[in-house]
């Protein structure tokens, strides 16, 4: 009887021990090795064009922040507790990706005219699951080129798209599109007036290909409207003149564009010398003939 | 036309004695060692040299410049002396032609050793740009090789015919070879006419060719911005330097051959005396150019120029610089101004000094300038601040010198050193008091 | 007996068919449910398109939402690699007043071009003209001269000047004569004296091999370096054609490097974007060794009104080293 009890006791102890170790293994494997991912999504709207979200996934590993590459981010539109899935994007080597939509019409707003987006990552072996919510309202910028006293201006008005009311006291940037980064036009801070409008003069001497310039009026990274950008094409720039010597015959051109003097003179000398050498070689043959 | 047997006996090529064989075998061994070292360089890359991004040209290039300079001897002795009617040139012209040919052929080979990608050699011809001084070099060197060969070959024809007869009994196979290369030379009027006209054309042609060769070589340096290279003097300086190197090499080789073949009846003290005067003349002209290069910049004392000159006068290159100037130039001038100094044996030593001085002079032209760039030398290992050639570079360079001597040796072994036919013609002209036909 | 087998066969066929149809319907139903669960879009069209964005990510987008995005620059047009991008002339401006020898530019350049030799392409010099004049730090890149001495002397057209101002090297053409290195007064070219040492099977090697197989050697200098040829700073054409600034410009923590298009008269250091002509007037820009007539494309702003002290850079100064060795 006593032995039996001891035996049972041992079995139970063994079972508990096994269960504990197995479950701790499972728990250990699941939580302590995985890193957290921080998601960031910025909303951009190009007027009369498309909208997109710049998504960045990063993680702090060994005290260094690195981009999380090649993970799938699910993009969805949250409407009154419904999650409408829109698509999936995969991050690149640097941990960034871009999700583009033709327009906001494919999305639905909630009762406050706000668009709610959710960007989620369902996790993998190395990283924990995470998601990020982004909310924004739709705003419009209407921009045009105007002229007064032979000075050109960019005039732009900021509207709340849902109410169509102008929004005042917002800072808009006016810039001209350039390679790498746009160049600011006018003062650093342009605050929209009571009519939601700004007007900025354009300097006369901005160069552009064939004189074409593209101006941007931007509401930059606002909390409620994201980033909204309006483009204005204006052929008011100074046409670019190609100053390169690429088409000319120079000392540094490739061989199909050698300067004429260098083509003619040396070749004359070579021809002269080798002409004589050939003549002399022929003389050798003449000598050898009896 | 009749050439005396004694003449032929004296001047015909003879088999090498023990010394000749040892000499030849040593040269072959050195050449083989160089080829092995070069193969190692091709496999591992030029990291086996001590060149770096600052001393980017080393003794491969200065050796190349030396060969180009020495090849000028053909133009300056054979052609120039001929056009100025210096009849004493006859016994020495063949040696001069041989040295010329050997040098320019080795110059063409040596420059390929310096290429980082020798497997792309053909690109120089397929993709060559006429704007580049290197392409000018690539054009003029084969041209000069062809002219030097013709300069050697045309006057050789009658001698080859004579040798064919001479060896017809003792070495029939050799005789046949001589026969083939003599191009059926019979001494007929037609053949002589063509030959003399051709020699005349070559003698005129080789002078501008030689001048262009030396000048293009100089322009490899003076078309660049660097201190010590950016000199308007360079072209003339190199022509003058080549004359010195060429005549010095001629004197040295001539002495050795004269002794080995006991040709002192043909290559006499008189010839050495004349050559000595010629060498002194070229050295004086060269001294003039050196003063322009190395003394006059002190006048304006521009910073970069002075730094460069100080490296040579009193810096790391001082011992070499003074050896080259005093040993390679001043002492030869002084010694050769005296009749006693123009005797064969002192001429041999002076010639040797001149040649060695010339070789190191070209090193002083190439490397010190490269180690003094416009921007400071920073961000590179300490050993990059200096340059001394590596084991590979020395072996390969010695091998190229050995190969040049090998070519000279081979040609001296099988060709008559003193032109037989011409000597006979001259002797005949003196005897009969008739003028020489050319 | 036969009756039984017939019966069982019929039975088998009958039931088998029923089972087969049932499982087929069930399977279709299951797959539909499954696809719904996995979030495929259920809008009108079931077609999705896989697109690759400009930075290389694969995106699955419902085809009705895909619209052609018109870029305002014409860089997507393919251009002849030896001719370069049309309507551009690239220039760089280096502000010596801000440089304190942080060397982040050199580290980034070495990393992105896989430089393993002993000589970096971008060097920061410790300059002092005379004892009485002030010392300063001077980063130098290739000047991409408009009258390039290096291009003039190249015998095989291995280095060439493009319409967009860049001077590049075709490492498959170079014969290693080093004449260009002798010609360059700015000492900016380096030579690959040996095979580059990337370490055995390193990840860098694999990443770079992929880049090299897809791209050409002209715009991807150093990937990999070829033995017996010359290399130098190339103004990062593989980046600038994607509208990404060269690596040194983005790596500098002090905003020393400005880069841009001279025809657009605009340069930027990543955060500040200014008119080039105005910058050069305001801060009295100049070029190095102007008197040599090389017409460099790199302007320098003199070290006046310094924001940093020269001495702060001394502890990072390594006179005999410019490439970090971490093998």
């Amino acid at each position: 009887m006593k032995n039996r009890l001891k035996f049972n006791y041992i079995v139970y102890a063994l079972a508990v021990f096994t269960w504990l170790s197995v479950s701790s293994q499972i728990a250990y494997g699941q939580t302590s090795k995985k890193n957290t991912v921080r998601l960031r999504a910025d909303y951009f709207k190009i007027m009369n064009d498309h909208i997109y979200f710049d998504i960045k996934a990063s993680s702090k590993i060994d005290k260094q922040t690195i981009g999380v590459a090649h993970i799938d981010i699910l993009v969805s539109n949250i409407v009154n507790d419904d999650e409408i899935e829109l698509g999936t994007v995969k991050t690149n080597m640097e941990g960034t990706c871009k999700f583009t939509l033709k327009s906001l019409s494919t999305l639905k707003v909630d009762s406050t005219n706000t668009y709610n987006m959710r960007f989620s990552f369902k996790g993998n072996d190395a990283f924990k699951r995470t998601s990020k919510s982004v909310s924004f309202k739709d705003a419009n910028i209407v921009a045009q080129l105007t002229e007064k006293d032979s000075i050109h201006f960019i005039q732009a008005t900021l509207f709340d798209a849902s109410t169509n009311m102008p929004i005042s006291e917002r800072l808009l940037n006016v810039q001209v599109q350039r390679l790498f980064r746009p160049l600011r036009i006018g003062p650093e801070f342009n605050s929209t007036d009571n009519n939601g409008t700004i007007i900025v003069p354009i300097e006369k001497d901005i160069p552009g290909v064939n004189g074409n310039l593209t101006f941007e009026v931007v509401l930059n990274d606002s909390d409620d409207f994201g980033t909204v950008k309006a483009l204005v094409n204006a052929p008011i720039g100074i046409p670019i003149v190609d100053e390169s010597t690429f088409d000319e015959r120079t000392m540094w051109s490739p061989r199909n564009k050698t300067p004429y003097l260098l083509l003619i003179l040396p070749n004359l000398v070579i021809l002269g010398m080798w002409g004589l050498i050939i003549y002399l070689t022929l003389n050798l043959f003449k000598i050898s003939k009896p | 036309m009749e050439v005396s047997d004694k003449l032929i006996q004296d001047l015909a090529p003879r088999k090498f004695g023990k010394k000749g064989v040892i000499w030849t075998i040593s040269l072959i061994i050195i050449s083989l060692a160089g080829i092995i070292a070069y193969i190692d360089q091709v496999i591992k890359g030029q990291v086996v040299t001590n060149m770096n991004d600052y001393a980017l040209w080393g003794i491969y290039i200065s050796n190349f410049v030396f060969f180009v300079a020495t090849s000028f001897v053909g133009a300056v002795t054979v052609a120039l002396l001929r056009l100025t009617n210096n009849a004493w040139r006859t016994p020495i012209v063949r040696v001069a032609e041989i040295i010329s040919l050997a040098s320019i052929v080795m110059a063409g080979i040596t420059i390929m050793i310096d290429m980082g990608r020798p497997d792309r050699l053909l690109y120089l011809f397929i993709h060559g740009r006429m704007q580049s001084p290197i392409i000018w070099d690539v054009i003029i060197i084969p041209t000069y090789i062809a002219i030097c060969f013709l300069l050697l070959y045309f006057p050789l024809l009658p001698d080859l015919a004579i040798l064919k007869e001479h060896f017809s009994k003792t070495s029939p196979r050799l005789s046949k070879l001589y026969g083939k290369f003599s191009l059926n030379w019979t001494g007929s009027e037609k053949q002589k006419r063509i030959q003399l006209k051709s020699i005349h054309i070559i003698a005129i042609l080789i002078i501008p060719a030689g001048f262009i060769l030396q000048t293009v070589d100089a322009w490899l340096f003076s078309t660049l911005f660097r201190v010590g290279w950016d000199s308007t003097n360079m072209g003339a300086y190199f022509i003058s330097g080549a004359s010195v190197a060429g005549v010095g090499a001629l004197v040295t080789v001539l002495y050795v051959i004269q002794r080995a073949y006991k040709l002192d009846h043909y290559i006499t003290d008189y010839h050495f005396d004349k050559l000595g005067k010629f060498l002194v003349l070229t050295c004086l002209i060269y001294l003039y150019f050196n003063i322009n290069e190395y003394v006059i910049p002190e006048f304006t004392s521009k910073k970069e120029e002075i730094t460069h000159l100080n490296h040579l006068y009193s810096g790391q290159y001082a011992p070499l610089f003074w050896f080259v100037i005093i040993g390679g130039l001043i002492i030869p001038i002084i010694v050769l101004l005296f009749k006693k100094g123009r005797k064969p044996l002192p001429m041999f030593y002076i010639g040797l000094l001149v040649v060695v001085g010339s070789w190191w002079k070209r090193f002083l032209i190439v490397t010190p300038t490269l180690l003094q760039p416009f921007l400071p030398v920073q961000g590179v290992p300490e050993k990059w601040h200096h340059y001394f050639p590596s084991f590979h570079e020395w072996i390969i360079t010695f091998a190229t010198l050995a190969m040049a001597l090998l070519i000279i040796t081979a040609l001296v072994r099988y060709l008559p050193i003193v032109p037989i036919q011409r000597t006979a013609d001259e002797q005949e002209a003196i005897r009969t008091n008739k003028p020489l036909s050319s | 007996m036969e009756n039984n087998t017939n019966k069982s066969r019929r039975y088998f066929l009958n039931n088998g068919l029923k089972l087969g149809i049932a499982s087929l319907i069930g399977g279709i139903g299951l797959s539909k449910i499954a696809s719904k669960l996995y979030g495929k879009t259920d809008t009108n069209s079931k077609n999705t398109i896989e697109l690759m964005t400009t930075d290389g990510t694969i995106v699955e987008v419902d085809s009705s939402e895909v619209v052609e995005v018109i870029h305002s620059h014409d860089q997507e047009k393919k251009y002849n690699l030896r001719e370069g991008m049309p309507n551009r002339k690239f220039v760089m401006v280096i502000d010596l007043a801000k440089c304190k020898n942080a060397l982040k530019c050199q580290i980034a350049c070495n990393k992105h071009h896989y430089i393993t030799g002993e000589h970096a392409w971008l060097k920061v010099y410790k300059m002092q003209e005379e004892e009485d004049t002030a010392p300063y730090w001077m980063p130098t890149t290739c000047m991409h001269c408009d009258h390039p001495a290096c291009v003039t002397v190249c015998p095989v057209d291995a280095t060439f000047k493009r319409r967009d101002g860049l001077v590049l090297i075709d490492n498959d053409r170079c014969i290693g004569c080093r004449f260009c290195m002798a010609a360059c007064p700015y000492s900016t070219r380096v030579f690959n004296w040996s095979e580059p040492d990337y370490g055995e099977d390193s990840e860098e090697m694999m990443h770079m091999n992929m880049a090299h197989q897809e791209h050409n050697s002209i715009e991807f200098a150093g990937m990999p370096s070829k033995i017996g040829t010359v290399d130098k700073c190339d103004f990062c054409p593989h980046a600038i054609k994607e509208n990404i600034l060269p690596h040194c410009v983005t790596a500098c923590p002090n905003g020393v490097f400005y880069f841009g298009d001279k025809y657009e008269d605009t340069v930027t250091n990543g955060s500040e974007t200014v008119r080039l002509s105005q910058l050069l007037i305001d801060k009295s820009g100049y070029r190095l060794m102007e008197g040599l007539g090389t017409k460099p494309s790199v302007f320098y702003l003199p070290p006046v009104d310094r924001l940093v002290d020269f001495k702060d850079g001394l502890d990072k100064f390594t006179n005999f080293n410019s490439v970090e060795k971490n093998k």
Side-chain angles (χ1 to χ4, degrees):
Chain A
M1 201 51 189
K2 227 187 192 172
N3 280 347
R4 193 86 198 271
L5 217 60
K6 217 197 235 174
F7 178 70
N8 281 345
Y9 178 65
I10 291 171
V11 167
Y12 286 140
L14 218 56
V16 168
F17 179 72
T18 318
W19 178 83
L20 270 172
S21 59
V22 168
S23 65
S24 74
Q25 283 289 358
I26 295 171
Y28 185 74
Q30 260 186 349
T31 55
S32 57
K33 288 280 191 198
K34 286 199 185 184
N35 292 300
T36 46
V37 177
R38 225 172 328 170
L39 275 181
R40 186 203 155 110
D42 294 304
Y43 156 71
F44 290 84
K45 171 176 173 167
I46 315 283
M47 290 301 302
N48 304 319
D49 206 318
H50 61 293
I51 68 162
Y52 64 93
F53 297 90
D54 256 345
I55 304 166
K56 285 196 231 324
S58 56
S59 182
K60 203 162 192 175
I61 299 179
D62 296 330
K63 297 206 178 130
Q64 265 202 344
T65 308
I66 56 145
V68 183
H70 305 310
I71 58 168
D72 286 316
I73 309 285
L74 173 69
V75 182
S76 40
N77 181 209
I78 310 282
V79 187
N80 301 329
D81 297 333
D82 279 331
E83 185 167 346
I84 305 170
E85 283 159 12
L86 300 167
T88 315
V89 279
K90 201 193 243 328
T91 58
N92 62 9
M93 283 288 297
E94 275 90 50
T96 63
C97 55
K98 199 162 161 176
F99 185 75
T100 308
L101 291 171
K102 191 163 70 174
S103 77
L104 284 175
S105 58
T106 51
L107 301 177
K108 295 192 180 45
V109 282
D110 65 10
S111 46
T112 61
N113 274 325
T114 310
Y115 294 88
N116 300 298
M117 304 291 295
R118 187 157 171 268
F119 300 86
S120 47
F121 167 56
K122 65 176 191 287
N124 62 16
D125 295 329
F127 295 99
K128 285 195 237 181
R129 56 191 302 146
T130 186
S131 73
K132 174 90 183 179
S133 298
V134 171
S135 299
F136 56 91
K137 293 169 96 153
D138 188 12
N140 284 328
I141 297 179
V142 174
Q144 70 235 40
L145 182 72
T146 58
E147 188 180 342
K148 185 172 152 198
D149 296 335
S150 77
I151 300 178
H152 292 281
F153 294 87
I154 292 285
Q155 182 174 341
T157 314
L158 178 65
F159 294 98
D160 184 326
S162 47
T163 61
N164 244 344
M165 298 291 290
I167 309 169
S168 58
E169 282 171 37
R170 288 305 187 108
L171 296 176
L172 295 180
N173 292 352
V174 182
Q175 52 205 28
V176 59
Q177 272 187 354
R178 306 273 80 170
L179 198 59
F180 307 120
R181 300 278 188 278
L183 179 68
R184 195 188 79 225
I185 300 288
E188 199 175 338
F189 300 113
N190 305 294
S191 186
T192 53
D193 60 15
N194 294 331
N195 298 322
T197 305
I198 57 161
I199 183 154
V200 172
I202 305 171
E203 48 246 56
K204 284 193 201 289
D205 58 350
I206 306 175
V209 179
N210 296 327
N212 289 326
L213 299 173
T214 304
F215 292 93
E216 303 179 338
V217 182
V218 192
L219 173 68
N220 238 330
D221 206 21
S222 69
D223 294 326
D224 41 0
F225 298 107
T227 301
V228 184
K229 185 187 281 195
L231 301 175
V232 181
N233 284 317
I236 57 171
I238 302 177
I240 285 174
V241 179
D242 187 345
E243 298 167 342
S244 93
T245 57
F246 187 79
D247 297 317
E248 296 165 24
R249 290 182 176 267
T250 60
M251 287 300 281
W252 54 90
S253 308
R255 63 190 249 142
N256 57 346
K257 286 186 275 243
T258 34
Y260 286 121
L261 215 62
L262 213 49
L263 265 181
I264 296 171
L265 246 49
N267 276 309
L268 277 178
V269 173
I270 295 167
L271 230 67
M273 289 196 169
W274 278 94
L276 282 171
I277 291 172
I278 292 172
Y279 167 70
L280 292 164
T281 315
L282 288 175
N283 274 0
L284 286 175
F285 283 106
K286 269 205 271 183
I287 288 177
S288 76
K289 277 202 200 26
Chain B
M1 174 35 203
E2 280 309 312
V3 185
S4 71
D5 283 335
K6 175 170 186 314
L7 202 64
I8 299 175
Q9 203 59 36
D10 286 342
L11 300 179
R14 282 163 252 154
K15 272 209 168 101
F16 274 168
K18 194 158 73 157
K19 277 202 211 145
V21 172
I22 294 176
W23 165 256
T24 310
I25 291 180
S26 324
L27 290 180
I28 292 177
I29 291 175
I30 298 174
S31 303
L32 283 175
I35 291 174
I36 294 172
Y38 179 65
I39 292 173
D40 195 34
Q41 180 184 290
V42 171
I43 294 172
K44 294 206 186 111
Q46 283 175 330
V47 67
V48 302
T49 67
N50 275 345
M51 292 193 279
N52 53 64
D53 291 346
Y54 285 98
L56 47 104
W57 283 340
I59 57 172
Y60 289 156
I61 293 288
S62 60
N63 193 34
F64 161 75
V65 177
F66 171 75
F67 276 128
V68 169
T70 311
S71 73
F72 195 50
V73 67
V76 88
T77 48
V78 180
L80 218 55
L81 290 180
R82 177 196 168 86
L83 292 176
T84 50
N85 281 326
N86 275 296
W88 57 269
R89 73 184 186 281
T90 305
I92 62 162
V93 288
R94 179 102 359 108
V95 179
E97 290 155 10
I98 289 175
I99 296 175
S100 227
L101 184 62
S103 285
I104 194 61
V105 164
M106 284 318 297
I109 294 175
T110 305
I111 195 60
M112 294 194 263
I113 296 174
D114 186 63
M115 283 171 72
R117 295 298 296 244
D119 55 312
R120 296 179 182 169
L121 182 64
L122 283 177
Y123 286 179
L124 282 168
F125 301 98
I126 305 172
H127 298 293
R129 286 173 72 245
M130 196 54 103
Q131 293 102 320
S132 169
I134 284 187
I135 293 296
W136 308 338
D137 226 8
V138 167
I139 294 171
I140 192 64
I141 287 181
T143 311
Y144 198 72
I145 292 178
I147 298 177
C148 271
F149 171 74
L150 291 170
L151 182 72
L152 176 65
Y153 195 38
F154 266 101
L156 204 50
L157 291 170
D159 288 358
L160 290 174
I162 293 173
L163 290 177
K164 178 180 97 174
E165 286 299 321
H166 179 78
F167 284 108
S168 56
K169 298 211 181 56
T170 48
S171 330
R173 256 200 320 199
L174 197 60
S175 165
K176 240 177 138 181
L177 222 59
Y178 281 125
K180 220 165 30 166
F181 281 113
S182 75
L183 299 182
N184 303 327
W185 178 266
T186 54
S188 70
E189 279 310 308
K190 173 175 159 254
Q191 282 180 331
K192 271 212 254 187
R193 200 170 19 92
I194 298 174
Q195 187 219 30
L196 287 171
K197 187 156 73 147
S198 302
I199 292 177
H200 196 67
I201 292 176
I202 297 171
I204 296 176
L205 180 60
I206 199 175
I207 292 178
F211 269 60
I212 292 175
L213 174 68
Q214 299 305 319
T215 310
V216 163
D217 203 31
W219 287 349
L220 286 176
F221 302 100
S222 70
T223 50
L224 305 177
F225 291 118
R226 296 190 179 245
V227 182
W229 287 359
D230 189 16
S231 164
T232 53
N233 221 4
M234 245 7 180
Y237 179 49
F238 267 54
I239 290 174
S240 157
S243 313
V244 171
V247 179
L250 177 61
V251 162
T252 316
V253 172
L254 215 52
Y255 180 79
V256 171
I257 292 177
Q258 187 235 41
R259 294 283 298 215
Y261 281 82
K262 300 189 182 25
L263 289 169
D264 36 318
H265 283 298
Y266 298 92
I267 306 174
T268 63
D269 283 10
Y270 172 69
H271 294 99
F272 277 95
D273 184 63
K274 281 292 215 186
L275 274 175
K277 287 182 184 162
F278 195 16
L279 187 54
V280 140
L281 178 64
T282 56
C283 283
L284 282 169
I285 299 174
Y286 195 44
L287 181 64
Y288 166 77
F289 280 109
N290 272 281
I291 292 173
N292 274 288
E293 279 289 314
Y294 292 115
V295 176
I296 290 304
E298 290 276 349
F299 205 94
T300 45
S301 284
K302 283 207 277 206
K303 262 188 169 175
E304 285 156 354
E305 297 277 358
I306 294 303
T307 314
H308 176 64
L309 290 182
N310 283 340
H311 281 160
L312 297 173
Y313 288 167
S314 52
Q316 48 175 314
Y317 299 104
L320 202 53
F321 178 74
W322 292 114
F323 162 69
V324 163
I325 295 293
I326 297 179
L329 207 53
I330 309 280
I331 292 181
I333 290 175
I334 297 174
V335 170
L336 293 174
L337 281 172
F338 295 99
K339 195 148 174 84
K340 277 233 188 82
R342 297 195 292 271
K343 288 251 190 303
L345 187 60
M347 284 276 291
F348 170 67
Y349 289 124
I350 293 297
L352 219 53
L353 255 183
V354 164
V355 167
V356 173
S358 286
W359 197 93
W360 282 105
K361 182 75 193 314
R362 272 118 193 112
F363 175 80
L364 285 177
I365 290 176
V366 173
T367 303
T369 293
L370 285 169
L371 286 176
Q372 194 200 330
F374 288 104
L375 291 177
V377 181
Q378 291 174 7
V380 293
E382 210 276 328
K383 64 177 192 277
W384 287 26
H385 291 240
H386 320 284
Y387 169 73
F388 188 74
S390 73
F391 184 65
H392 277 80
E393 288 175 279
W394 280 123
I395 298 228
I396 292 173
T397 303
F398 274 119
T400 59
L401 293 165
M403 282 187 220
L405 288 172
L406 212 52
I407 297 175
I408 296 175
T409 306
L411 291 173
V412 161
R413 164 69 182 85
Y414 289 104
L415 301 178
I417 295 136
V418 177
I420 304 175
Q421 183 62 56
R422 182 150 177 90
T423 312
D425 290 345
E426 279 182 349
Q427 288 177 340
E428 168 114 10
I430 293 171
R431 200 168 46 80
T432 59
N433 231 348
K434 277 203 204 115
L436 209 54
S437 44
S438 73
Chain C
M1 195 58 180
E2 241 186 55
N3 244 355
N4 269 347
T5 35
N6 272 350
K7 236 191 191 161
S8 61
R9 206 184 294 134
R10 210 181 297 135
Y11 177 81
F12 173 73
L13 280 172
N14 209 351
N15 284 352
L17 214 59
K18 282 187 198 154
L19 195 60
I21 291 172
S23 54
L24 193 65
I25 293 173
I28 293 174
L30 267 171
S31 72
K32 279 223 155 108
I33 295 170
S35 71
K36 272 215 178 112
L37 279 175
Y38 285 119
K40 292 275 190 283
T41 53
D42 56 359
T43 47
N44 11 11
S45 101
K46 292 247 187 301
N47 294 326
T48 55
I49 293 180
E50 261 193 36
L51 302 171
M52 180 178 306
T53 61
T54 49
D55 52 8
T57 53
I58 306 277
V59 178
E60 268 200 56
V61 180
D62 189 282
S63 53
S64 65
E65 313 225 21
V66 173
V67 71
E68 275 277 319
V69 179
I70 300 152
H71 294 267
S72 49
H73 303 288
D74 52 0
Q75 303 321 20
E76 267 62 38
K77 287 208 210 94
K78 286 218 180 299
Y79 51 83
N80 181 322
L81 289 174
R82 279 187 175 242
E83 187 171 342
M85 299 175 224
N87 297 320
R88 299 267 175 230
K89 185 190 173 352
F90 293 107
V91 293
M92 184 178 271
V93 182
I94 298 181
D95 192 350
L96 298 177
K98 294 189 195 143
C99 180
K100 62 163 147 171
N101 198 32
L103 288 180
K104 295 280 186 274
C105 51
Q106 191 176 73
I107 293 169
C109 176
N110 289 346
K111 174 164 163 252
H112 282 98
H113 287 102
Y114 301 93
I115 293 174
T116 56
E118 286 172 308
H119 203 179
W121 299 357
L122 197 171
K123 297 222 292 213
V124 181
Y125 286 98
K126 174 155 92 79
M127 299 290 283
Q128 185 168 15
E129 263 83 38
E130 224 354 278
E131 271 172 18
D132 297 332
T133 59
Y136 55 97
W137 299 106
M138 184 171 83
T140 56
T141 58
C142 167
M143 302 283 149
H144 296 271
C145 304
D146 287 339
H147 282 192
C150 55
V151 175
T152 305
V153 296
C154 178
V156 290
D157 212 6
T159 186
F160 50 92
K161 172 88 177 166
R162 300 206 313 192
R163 192 188 284 283
D164 54 12
L166 300 191
V167 174
L168 297 180
I169 301 174
D170 183 355
N171 290 88
D172 293 322
R173 179 76 71 79
C174 178
I175 60 170
C177 67
R178 309 189 293 290
F179 205 6
C180 56
M181 291 174 71
C184 178
Y186 306 99
S187 307
T188 200
R189 284 171 172 254
V190 312
F191 192 68
N192 296 307
W193 298 99
S194 60
E195 284 288 351
D197 175 20
Y198 295 122
E200 296 282 349
D201 288 341
S202 63
E203 205 182 293
E204 294 176 26
M205 189 69 185
M206 293 192 296
H207 184 231
M208 186 211 321
N209 273 332
M210 288 192 314
H212 178 63
Q213 268 149 35
E214 290 160 28
H215 304 290
N216 58 80
S217 85
I218 289 179
E219 290 187 330
F220 289 81
M223 303 190 231
S225 297
K226 305 236 170 95
I227 184 177
T229 63
V230 180
D231 274 327
K232 65 174 185 68
C233 156
D234 57 356
F235 271 4
C236 296
H238 52 278
I240 60 181
K241 69 180 183 185
E242 313 284 343
N243 282 14
I244 298 172
L245 285 166
H247 301 288
C248 50
V249 180
T250 40
C252 177
N254 302 307
V256 171
F257 292 87
Y258 292 80
F259 191 78
D261 176 3
K262 179 161 187 253
Y263 292 157
E264 278 187 345
D265 198 30
T266 304
V267 290
T268 178
N269 65 3
S271 35
E272 261 177 80
T273 309
V274 291
R275 293 286 294 261
L276 171 68
S277 48
Q278 196 59 48
L279 183 66
L280 294 178
I281 292 174
D282 289 342
K283 300 215 183 169
S284 183
Y286 65 93
R287 297 188 291 198
L288 272 192
M289 303 188 213
E290 184 76 54
L292 294 181
T294 50
K295 297 196 174 177
S297 300
V298 177
F299 295 87
Y300 283 89
L301 304 179
V304 290
D305 293 336
R306 305 246 211 138
L307 298 171
V308 295
D309 194 358
F310 169 79
K311 292 205 252 314
D312 290 344
L314 279 174
D315 48 332
K316 279 254 174 46
F317 178 61
T318 50
N319 196 5
F320 299 119
N321 190 34
S322 56
V323 179
E324 277 178 4
K325 296 259 185 264
N326 51 6
K327 302 275 183 302

